[in-house]
Amino acid sequence: MDSGFLLLEKRNQPLHVAYLNLYTPPVDAGPEFVKKLVERLRSYASPLPPFNQRLESRIGAGFWVEDPEFDIDQHVIHLALPRPGRIRELLAMVSRMHSSHLDRAYPLWRIYVIEGLEGGRIATYSKVHHAVADGVAGTRLMLKSMSINPGDIVPPVWALPPRGRREPAGLLTAPINSAAKLATRFRGAFGSLPGIGRELRQSLREYRGKHPDFVSGLSAPPSILNQHISASRRYAAQSYALSRVREAARALNYTTNDIVLGMCSYALRKYLLELNALPEKPLIALVPMSTRRDRTDSGNQIAFFLANLGTHLADPTERLQSIKSSVDHSKRRFAHMRPSEMLGYGLALMGPGLLNMIASPKPNWVAFNLIISNVPGPKTQLYWQGCKLDGMYPVSAIADGMALNITLTSRHDSLDFGLIACRRTLPHVQKLLDYLEEALVEIEGLMPVARVEDELAVARSAART
Amino acid sequence: MDSGFLLLEKRNQPLHVAYLNLYTPPVDAGPEFVKKLVERLRSYASPLPPFNQRLESRIGAGFWVEDPEFDIDQHVIHLALPRPGRIRELLAMVSRMHSSHLDRAYPLWRIYVIEGLEGGRIATYSKVHHAVADGVAGTRLMLKSMSINPGDIVPPVWALPPRGRREPAGLLTAPINSAAKLATRFRGAFGSLPGIGRELRQSLREYRGKHPDFVSGLSAPPSILNQHISASRRYAAQSYALSRVREAARALNYTTNDIVLGMCSYALRKYLLELNALPEKPLIALVPMSTRRDRTDSGNQIAFFLANLGTHLADPTERLQSIKSSVDHSKRRFAHMRPSEMLGYGLALMGPGLLNMIASPKPNWVAFNLIISNVPGPKTQLYWQGCKLDGMYPVSAIADGMALNITLTSRHDSLDFGLIACRRTLPHVQKLLDYLEEALVEIEGLMPVARVEDELAVARSAART
């Protein structure tokens, strides 16, 4: 699995994932607070696996070996934003940082602690190679280094012991959010071939019978999202009140995730319309989902489905309905599959388009148009090194043929969206942030009037706090 | 030539060159000075060739084409140093910036304007791909954007018209400072084959006769400087008073360049001794030199010689003498060669070691141990955008098998040394800065006593101003 990511990495396609976190320092923090924080972090200079491991090539294969000359200064970096220190400057900085590769001669992670934000806030940008940890594993590791108590100073993530010998921290245990990973997992699904075959035959029947809710791996239209990418990134991030999304879902009888997909659909439709590049057929999103049916915490219990985003529909209700129908259809199909069958089935369904994307992406033949991934985050207010966590924005990876990725973290009171795109291929992706807000307002407009007003009052007051 | 650089570039071997410049802003500069400076620079949003050209691959070859979507924000970056904003933090930042590649989807240059230095100074780090401009061409371009008058605001370098149609700005016209470039120039020397053959026969006689001052392309000993490199860099920079070096040269009957090589020799000897890694045979430096004998400004009128650094000798006089003998011998040999013969002769002499370095570097067989390059800088005090130029430190490129490069700019009153090294391969190269100063003190100690005192008083007072 690790080797897959390392092989697929290219000059224009670094395969690391990151988080941009925002924090409010403690009230008694002085001007030297960040400097001292960086010194404290650097004092943890003997990390535990996998944070002390670097890649070594032997006879053509890569191995993880302990780095005998571990150098904390290479991993903990102190930065400052230039004036005026707005979020805009921060996002420009993250865009640049996310464009550069981690050096394979060192353990593949780095944290930047950033001062100089307006209002005295601080930020961290923590980057790890996809071969070391994926988005969900990375999220779990990060949450382990936080506390619900502002007074607790937990050691940084690289100094925390892994959970157990059988589940070394940093090994991939959770959702797929890149095309690359799908391919490398393909082989593991062999044992489920009979079940997968049965499902594929069913899909073929649905495909031939033109079942309205079936999304095949050949449904995605060509779009400007599916081009060769440059090595430069544009990052955009914003929080939306989770309570608003939940209320809309409840009032309109959708799931929270339906509403999230509906917001993305509106935003993508408007963005592409403005560029005169909206495909006539609806965009197809790959949505990772957990297939865990017990309380265990290991193994590849993941799958994904293809969602019809209904971007060709102008009417918001029709668009939401189209999303819900395709999602529900996938869920019904998945309901009688074993987890390994779900994964194998999904991969087989997308096979042809997927192989095209990995081997030599042609814009007119893709298995899906983009990945939209909703990563579960903390359910309560957390603190890190005494600082209040105000935002936890994922910064995912993109690839040739897949120039945009939308990943969000559901925190206790908000949805922290992180949009990463090829800077050259997709102009002004930051506009999508405004369109996501417009989308939510449009969806709220569909709620029964009396209810809307009540709910909105509650939701907005929650969002303000 | 351009293609050569682009092909030789690797993940661990970016081939850009840069300058770290230090400036004192005008006395009336307010806290918004740098922000406004960046805005002014960005207002020059339609650059002239080569700064508006990006690389395009067609049928396997690279071409420079005008970028129709030139985006100034990708090229002019505003940064701030974290507290306390010492030179130490600045060098750490430059080390990181120099480690990341320029994106080939855009014109291959970028300037970072950096605020937050102690004492209110500002810095720029300007980076250009070696395929666009080499060190000397880059220096000339940079000087064109400066003025001897603090009140003159000259447009930035990308907005200045190239000198003439026959000499497009950015094409390589001057000294060699990377092994790669040597190879690509090899072919141009065919016309001088008879002369080169004559010289090589002479060299063979000297080699067989063990001429004490002849340095062959097989003389360089294996050393820790000649290893595979990582993708991470360590940059160290410092100024030394040019007047001190000149006085020592005059008093001891050496050239300024002999003294510079002597300083490097002492510093390398001490550094390698401390690491218990000093080769028994002397280190060999490749020293680029200009072979221009007229006032023209075009063509490849360059050559280089191999200097025996005498690092095996403990005695400072013997060491300087050994350097001088090998340099003088090369100069005598070159004196009766035409410029193209010099280049061809030098390349042929180093051929076997050079090809080994380019194709598959083996640490025990190199044509030379490092490049030491002295680039002519401005002869008077200059100003850029109203700011006084306080330092102009080259940041050169290193390569597999060549983990350290020492390049310096001779300014009117100082020698601005820039040392770039592989961070992983060579520990603590910043120590070399102190050893260069120690070396100069040691060399000054060789000057006749009465003279030393007079000269030192003059030199030190010059250095203070």
Side-chain angles (χ1 to χ4, degrees), chain A residues 21-303:
Chain A
N21 288 6
L22 284 179
Y23 299 98
T24 302
V27 283
D28 59 351
E32 299 278 283
F33 178 78
V34 175
K35 184 169 173 281
K36 285 179 189 157
L37 169 58
V38 169
E39 282 163 10
R40 186 162 72 234
L41 293 174
R42 285 188 180 149
S43 73
Y44 294 93
S46 303
L48 294 164
F51 297 97
N52 62 349
Q53 293 170 341
R54 71 182 183 116
L55 202 69
E56 206 171 279
S57 290
R58 290 181 200 140
I59 42 168
F63 294 88
W64 295 106
V65 295
E66 198 165 311
D67 185 352
E69 297 166 59
F70 183 84
D71 175 2
I72 192 72
D73 290 350
Q74 175 78 345
H75 300 275
V76 179
I77 310 289
H78 184 188
L79 287 183
L81 267 191
R83 297 159 201 273
R86 294 165 302 183
I87 292 296
R88 183 183 165 162
E89 278 82 30
L90 180 64
L91 295 177
M93 181 182 263
V94 170
S95 302
R96 285 195 309 273
M97 291 192 291
H98 207 63
S99 304
S100 48
H101 290 74
L102 288 159
D103 182 357
R104 291 192 186 180
Y106 292 84
L108 291 168
W109 63 277
R110 189 176 255 188
I111 178 171
Y112 297 82
V113 186
I114 306 159
E115 65 180 342
L117 272 81
E118 268 182 340
R121 288 207 292 182
I122 63 172
T124 56
Y125 165 77
S126 334
K127 183 174 182 174
V128 61
H129 199 281
H130 222 316
V132 178
D134 71 353
V136 170
T139 308
R140 282 200 205 133
L141 284 168
M142 180 169 276
L143 296 184
K144 270 171 71 181
S145 73
M146 296 186 181
S147 164
I148 53 166
N149 185 342
D152 283 354
I153 307 293
V154 181
V157 63
W158 58 90
L160 290 171
R163 252 179 222 192
R165 292 200 162 268
R166 310 196 82 186
E167 191 215 8
L171 285 191
L172 300 159
T173 56
I176 284 164
N177 62 358
S178 84
K181 197 182 303 183
L182 301 178
T184 55
R185 284 193 177 169
F186 202 105
R187 284 171 298 176
F190 278 137
S192 312
L193 282 178
I196 296 166
R198 184 191 67 221
E199 294 303 326
L200 287 173
R201 284 191 296 277
Q202 169 65 13
S203 293
L204 194 61
R205 279 192 294 276
E206 292 181 357
Y207 179 70
R208 286 196 179 136
K210 297 188 199 294
H211 190 298
D213 299 326
F214 172 69
V215 180
S216 85
L218 299 166
S219 307
S223 85
I224 62 164
L225 306 182
N226 307 105
Q227 298 177 73
H228 278 292
I229 57 169
S230 79
S232 298
R233 301 288 169 267
R234 174 95 66 183
Y235 184 59
Q238 193 160 300
S239 298
Y240 304 85
L242 180 54
S243 52
R244 284 174 68 192
V245 175
R246 280 205 182 120
E247 288 312 321
R250 202 175 302 160
L252 297 166
N253 203 26
Y254 290 107
T255 66
T256 304
N257 212 44
D258 292 338
I259 302 293
V260 165
L261 293 176
M263 288 166 66
C264 295
S265 171
Y266 173 99
L268 289 164
R269 177 182 156 83
K270 180 157 180 180
Y271 175 77
L272 293 172
L273 270 177
E274 285 191 343
L275 293 169
N276 204 21
L278 182 70
E280 280 182 31
K281 287 171 68 186
L283 292 183
I284 306 299
L286 180 138
V287 183
M289 64 174 197
S290 171
T291 58
R292 202 155 280 148
R293 285 165 185 170
D294 56 23
R295 295 182 148 266
T296 64
D297 206 28
S298 61
N300 286 324
Q301 302 198 351
I302 47 104

Side-chain angles (χ1 to χ4, degrees), chain A residues 9 11 31 54 67 71 74 77-80 82-83 96 101-103 105-106 115 230-232 423-424, chain B residues 9 11 31 54 67 71 74 77-80 82-83 96 101-103 105-106 115 230-232 423-424:
Chain A
E9 193 164 59
R11 185 187 166 106
R54 71 182 183 116
D67 185 352
D71 175 2
Q74 175 78 345
I77 310 289
H78 184 188
L79 287 183
R83 297 159 201 273
R96 285 195 309 273
H101 290 74
L102 288 159
D103 182 357
Y106 292 84
E115 65 180 342
S230 79
S232 298
R423 179 189 171 104
R424 179 101 202 168
Chain B
E9 192 165 61
R11 186 187 167 107
R54 71 183 183 115
D67 185 353
D71 175 2
Q74 176 78 346
I77 310 287
H78 184 186
L79 287 183
R83 295 160 202 273
R96 284 196 309 273
H101 291 72
L102 289 159
D103 183 356
Y106 292 84
E115 66 180 342
S230 78
S232 299
R423 179 189 170 102
R424 180 102 203 166

Side-chain angles (χ1 to χ4, degrees), chain B residues 410-441:
Chain B
S410 323
R411 277 198 302 134
H412 64 116
D413 59 355
S414 77
L415 294 174
D416 295 344
F417 274 72
L419 282 56
I420 187 82
C422 169
R423 179 189 170 102
R424 180 102 203 166
T425 312
L426 297 177
H428 308 296
V429 286
Q430 65 276 19
K431 286 182 179 175
L432 287 168
L433 298 178
D434 290 336
Y435 303 164
L436 286 169
E437 170 62 27
E438 279 180 25
L440 188 48
V441 170

Side-chain angles (χ1 to χ4, degrees), chain A residues 374-449:
Chain A
N374 186 341
V375 179
K379 293 193 168 46
T380 50
Q381 177 62 57
L382 291 183
Y383 295 82
W384 177 73
Q385 301 291 325
C387 304
K388 178 172 164 281
L389 179 69
D390 293 334
M392 189 170 165
Y393 305 93
V395 198
S396 194
I398 59 170
D400 264 335
M402 205 56 59
L404 173 67
N405 173 299
I406 300 179
T407 300
L408 56 144
T409 310
S410 322
R411 276 197 303 132
H412 64 114
D413 60 354
S414 79
L415 294 173
D416 295 345
F417 275 72
L419 282 57
I420 187 82
C422 169
R423 179 189 171 104
R424 179 101 202 168
T425 313
L426 298 177
H428 307 298
V429 287
Q430 65 275 22
K431 286 182 179 176
L432 287 167
L433 298 177
D434 291 336
Y435 303 163
L436 286 170
E437 170 64 26
E438 278 179 27
L440 187 49
V441 170
E442 187 187 66
I443 292 168
E444 286 170 338
L446 303 175
M447 291 158 72
V449 178

Side-chain angles (χ1 to χ4, degrees), chain B residues 30 44 80 105 107 112 116 144 168 172 175 231 244 259 262 275 338 426 436:
Chain B
Y44 293 93
Y112 297 83
K144 270 171 73 181
L172 299 159
R244 285 175 67 193
I259 303 292
L275 293 169
R338 286 180 294 147
L426 297 177
L436 286 169

